[in-house]
Amino acid sequence: EEPATGLPGFRTWRGVYLFVLTVFVACVILLKAFELAFS
Amino acid sequence: MSALDYVVLLATILGIAGYGAWHTRHRSDMAAYWKGVGKTRWTVIGLSVMATQASAITFLSTPGQGYDGGLRFVQNYFGLPLALIIVAAIFLPLYRRLNVYTAYEFLGKRFDGRARLLGAALFLLQRGLQAGITIYAPAIVLTTVMGWRLDLTIICTGLVVIAYTVSGGSDAVSVTQKYQIGVIFAGMLAAATILILRLPDTLSMGDALRVAGGFNKLDAVDFRFDLSERYNVWSGIIGGVFLSLSYFGTDQSQVQRYLTGPSLRESRLGLMFNALFKIPMQFGILLLGVLLFVFYQFEPAPVYFNATAWEQAKINGAAEQLSEFESEYATAHSERSESIRTWLEAERVGDMATAEAAHSSAIAAHERSQAIRADAIAALRQTNERAKVEDYDYVFITFVLGFLPHGLIGLLIAVFFAAAFSSLAAELSALGETTNVDFYRFVFRRDASERHYVTSSRWLTIFWGMIAIGFALFANQQENLIEAINIVGSLFYGVVLGMFCVAFFIKYVEGWAVFWGAVVSQALIFVMFFSGFFDFSYLYYNMIGCVGCVALSIALQFAVNRRQMRSGV
């Protein structure tokens, strides 16, 4: 001493990862908006 | 707890454990015992990864953190999605291609046996002690409020988990986690529903959130760059990426979860499931805590949420002093409650000047009640030094026992046990597997039969279960030890990640260089942490450990290569 994603609308894994990162950024923006709406 | 609660509690937790043991009873070869029989779908992998990370203390303490500090703790998870993408894209394909049982086996294939044993030893040291905390932390809270015996609770929790984990191996952990997380979601949803229904009739959901926002409980995202600030976007993303990368990529309790997938696709989708849903889940639990804060603006709140410690201090001679604090606190509380009602009513009719004045008055009453609380806790600690300054672990359980109907109380206690079981089972399974694969089979017994290794795995899982129970029982005598281990445990993560980063990305570094790079950078981390000179969030230590290990490994390799070139070797 790459498999197919099998997800409709996602042809590559890169697309899946990009989608996850987009959702994360959207979450941060929504959290900030939520904070500002009630402050 | 009524008889109905005990029936719900025992039927839920023992039913799931019994089903897990029965369903996976025929596992006689290594692959089936440690990787399952290749039928685990991505949904189960995703739930299993989630259940392993969320221990009982997540559901006991996180609502309390929301009650106290609002939503800002959610930033702690901002590095998780990116880290899971890196694990899915880079770590996972290599683990699967090399067909390894443990992450440290990969280090052996890339470097040498010494690097493999160092990685495995750091994991066993850290996770072996933290398994004890996984039992102890919820047990101390539950036994305090329920009046159960702590030693029996710890022993029973440990033995039930050992029984089904030893019986079915990794598959038993996955099967039970699927149902345990179902119980957890059902219980938390029921508690949230009851909490919202119990808010005053005149208070709409919008009003409740306005009250929370008025006390800065909805401050979720802080973009200011401050190294000493524990939770902001930058510590969450930078420190969080390194912490999550190390936890999901190199901690066998997680690696084992996603290696049970029958294909790369199933394992990847399980990880992406967590990348999408972990932050919303934590937000939901923290929001439950924020709504508890609003609830207790209109309901009488205890001065100190650990009622047992409070009553004990009264018996020990502080009754008069503590009763005085109680009446002062009640006065401040009713002033605050009245000010909040005035503030909301004035906003409703558009009288902004009155609303502003009432809001300021509510804030002032809140600060006064916080000062009374601090004095009361100081007085409490004079009669009982072991009483903690922070009582937030007891906030949610106090609400559960005080305001939920019978039957649901049993379900919520089952939630805490299910979360403890799911984390502990994954830890014991990973500890048994790593000891078996990376030490017993690699160092002592290389050519035994499959059946022999399954048997040795079972005994090693029992061994680690006993260590966890023993440590949890011992921890009761050494409260400070718990905190020390929690902190020191997280200091190992960065260096282990550094070893894996060198393995993945830097082809020319050899085993001896990464071994000494890891040892020296780990020593450096300890010196930095214990010297007290550096005032920054603990999350950054993971980054420093990782970068230090990579840089030192490269420097050592470069120095030796250069010397060999000069001497013409």
Side-chain angles (χ1 to χ4, degrees), chain B residues 21 41 317 333 349 375 498 539:
Chain B
R41 297 295 311 276
H333 181 277
V349 297
D375 290 344
L539 282 170

Side-chain angles (χ1 to χ4, degrees), chain B residues 310-392:
Chain B
W310 185 261
E311 292 306 320
Q312 193 61 50
K314 279 184 168 178
I315 292 167
N316 292 344
E320 196 178 327
Q321 191 183 14
L322 294 184
S323 296
E324 207 169 296
F325 282 125
E326 281 174 345
S327 65
E328 283 179 33
Y329 190 78
T331 305
H333 181 277
S334 64
E335 281 175 22
R336 182 176 52 181
S337 185
E338 199 48 51
S339 297
I340 292 171
R341 288 177 199 278
T342 307
W343 158 33
L344 291 174
E345 189 53 44
E347 272 198 352
R348 239 173 248 135
V349 297
D351 181 357
M352 298 319 284
T354 305
E356 189 92 0
H359 179 221
S360 299
S361 163
I363 295 285
H366 178 62
E367 285 170 358
R368 204 160 51 249
S369 60
Q370 288 296 84
I372 294 165
R373 212 174 98 83
D375 290 344
I377 292 171
L380 174 77
R381 281 171 59 82
Q382 283 180 346
T383 62
N384 177 9
E385 284 183 356
R386 291 187 65 178
K388 287 187 168 183
V389 173
E390 292 175 350
D391 59 346
Y392 303 116

Side-chain angles (χ1 to χ4, degrees), chain B residues 264-487:
Chain B
L264 179 57
R265 175 185 178 272
E266 300 292 329
S267 298
R268 264 187 182 163
L269 289 177
L271 290 174
M272 290 305 99
F273 172 86
N274 278 271
L276 283 174
F277 292 110
K278 182 67 183 177
I279 291 175
M281 184 184 106
Q282 288 300 133
F283 169 77
I285 300 172
L286 285 166
L287 188 62
L288 177 69
V290 168
L291 290 175
L292 272 172
F293 172 82
V294 175
F295 173 80
Y296 277 118
Q297 302 313 298
F298 302 98
E299 279 285 335
V303 182
Y304 188 64
F305 275 94
N306 182 350
T308 308
W310 185 261
E311 292 306 320
Q312 193 61 50
K314 279 184 168 178
I315 292 167
N316 292 344
E320 196 178 327
Q321 191 183 14
L322 294 184
S323 296
E324 207 169 296
F325 282 125
E326 281 174 345
S327 65
E328 283 179 33
Y329 190 78
T331 305
H333 181 277
S334 64
E335 281 175 22
R336 182 176 52 181
S337 185
E338 199 48 51
S339 297
I340 292 171
R341 288 177 199 278
T342 307
W343 158 33
L344 291 174
E345 189 53 44
E347 272 198 352
R348 239 173 248 135
V349 297
D351 181 357
M352 298 319 284
T354 305
E356 189 92 0
H359 179 221
S360 299
S361 163
I363 295 285
H366 178 62
E367 285 170 358
R368 204 160 51 249
S369 60
Q370 288 296 84
I372 294 165
R373 212 174 98 83
D375 290 344
I377 292 171
L380 174 77
R381 281 171 59 82
Q382 283 180 346
T383 62
N384 177 9
E385 284 183 356
R386 291 187 65 178
K388 287 187 168 183
V389 173
E390 292 175 350
D391 59 346
Y392 303 116
D393 287 354
Y394 294 86
V395 172
F396 185 44
I397 188 88
T398 300
F399 170 77
V400 166
L401 294 175
F403 296 94
L404 259 59
H406 287 299
L408 267 187
I409 291 177
L411 180 65
L412 261 292
I413 302 298
V415 164
F416 303 134
F417 275 106
F421 281 20
S422 64
S423 289
L424 182 64
E427 286 172 331
L428 295 186
S429 182
L431 287 163
E433 181 184 28
T434 302
T435 314
N436 191 46
V437 171
D438 292 309
F439 285 93
Y440 182 67
R441 195 174 72 162
F442 179 57
V443 178
F444 300 108
R445 190 83 189 267
R446 295 202 159 211
D447 43 12
S449 67
E450 289 275 312
R451 186 173 287 276
H452 174 84
Y453 287 130
V454 170
T455 304
S456 64
S457 291
R458 288 189 160 127
W459 281 110
L460 287 166
T461 305
I462 292 171
F463 166 76
W464 282 109
M466 292 303 169
I467 291 279
I469 291 172
F471 180 68
L473 292 171
F474 173 69
N476 189 37
Q477 318 302 319
Q478 301 287 334
E479 275 276 324
N480 295 336
L481 187 67
I482 290 282
E483 287 172 21
I485 281 172
N486 252 338
I487 293 165

Side-chain angles (χ1 to χ4, degrees), chain B residues 116-374:
Chain B
R116 173 182 182 171
L117 292 177
L118 177 65
L122 286 175
F123 165 73
L124 293 178
L125 182 66
Q126 170 195 19
R127 190 53 65 190
L129 293 176
Q130 288 192 329
I133 298 176
T134 302
I135 304 179
Y136 175 77
I140 188 71
V141 176
L142 291 172
T143 54
T144 300
V145 295
M146 310 299 282
W148 299 338
R149 278 184 55 178
L150 179 64
D151 52 359
L152 285 181
T153 305
I154 287 171
I155 291 167
C156 290
T157 300
L159 289 180
V160 171
V161 174
I162 289 170
Y164 73 80
T165 308
V166 166
S167 165
S170 178
D171 237 8
V173 178
S174 295
V175 166
T176 49
Q177 281 179 327
K178 180 171 62 174
Y179 296 105
Q180 283 159 344
I181 202 97
V183 168
I184 288 167
F185 284 153
M188 295 304 277
L189 206 61
T193 305
I194 298 288
L195 172 60
I196 290 167
L197 290 175
R198 281 194 169 268
L199 288 171
D201 292 339
T202 54
L203 196 76
S204 69
M205 196 60 189
D207 288 340
L209 291 174
R210 227 183 337 269
V211 171
F215 287 94
N216 298 325
K217 298 293 180 187
L218 300 182
D219 292 2
V221 183
D222 181 359
F223 284 105
R224 287 173 302 171
F225 187 80
D226 180 355
L227 283 174
S228 62
E229 179 60 51
R230 197 167 186 177
Y231 304 119
N232 58 37
V233 167
W234 311 111
S235 71
I237 290 179
I238 300 167
V241 161
F242 282 89
L243 179 63
S244 297
L245 204 49
S246 186
Y247 176 58
F248 289 105
T250 75
D251 189 310
Q252 184 60 23
S253 62
Q254 280 293 0
V255 173
Q256 189 191 57
R257 299 296 89 225
Y258 54 75
L259 286 185
T260 57
S263 68
L264 179 57
R265 175 185 178 272
E266 300 292 329
S267 298
R268 264 187 182 163
L269 289 177
L271 290 174
M272 290 305 99
F273 172 86
N274 278 271
L276 283 174
F277 292 110
K278 182 67 183 177
I279 291 175
M281 184 184 106
Q282 288 300 133
F283 169 77
I285 300 172
L286 285 166
L287 188 62
L288 177 69
V290 168
L291 290 175
L292 272 172
F293 172 82
V294 175
F295 173 80
Y296 277 118
Q297 302 313 298
F298 302 98
E299 279 285 335
V303 182
Y304 188 64
F305 275 94
N306 182 350
T308 308
W310 185 261
E311 292 306 320
Q312 193 61 50
K314 279 184 168 178
I315 292 167
N316 292 344
E320 196 178 327
Q321 191 183 14
L322 294 184
S323 296
E324 207 169 296
F325 282 125
E326 281 174 345
S327 65
E328 283 179 33
Y329 190 78
T331 305
H333 181 277
S334 64
E335 281 175 22
R336 182 176 52 181
S337 185
E338 199 48 51
S339 297
I340 292 171
R341 288 177 199 278
T342 307
W343 158 33
L344 291 174
E345 189 53 44
E347 272 198 352
R348 239 173 248 135
V349 297
D351 181 357
M352 298 319 284
T354 305
E356 189 92 0
H359 179 221
S360 299
S361 163
I363 295 285
H366 178 62
E367 285 170 358
R368 204 160 51 249
S369 60
Q370 288 296 84
I372 294 165
R373 212 174 98 83

Side-chain angles (χ1 to χ4, degrees), chain A residues 1-2 5 13 17 32 35, chain B residues 111 213 218 220-221 265 268:
Chain A
E1 288 208 355
E2 286 283 275
T5 66
W13 283 101
Y17 301 148
K32 194 67 189 171
E35 174 187 321
Chain B
F111 296 122
L218 300 182
V221 183
R265 175 185 178 272
R268 264 187 182 163

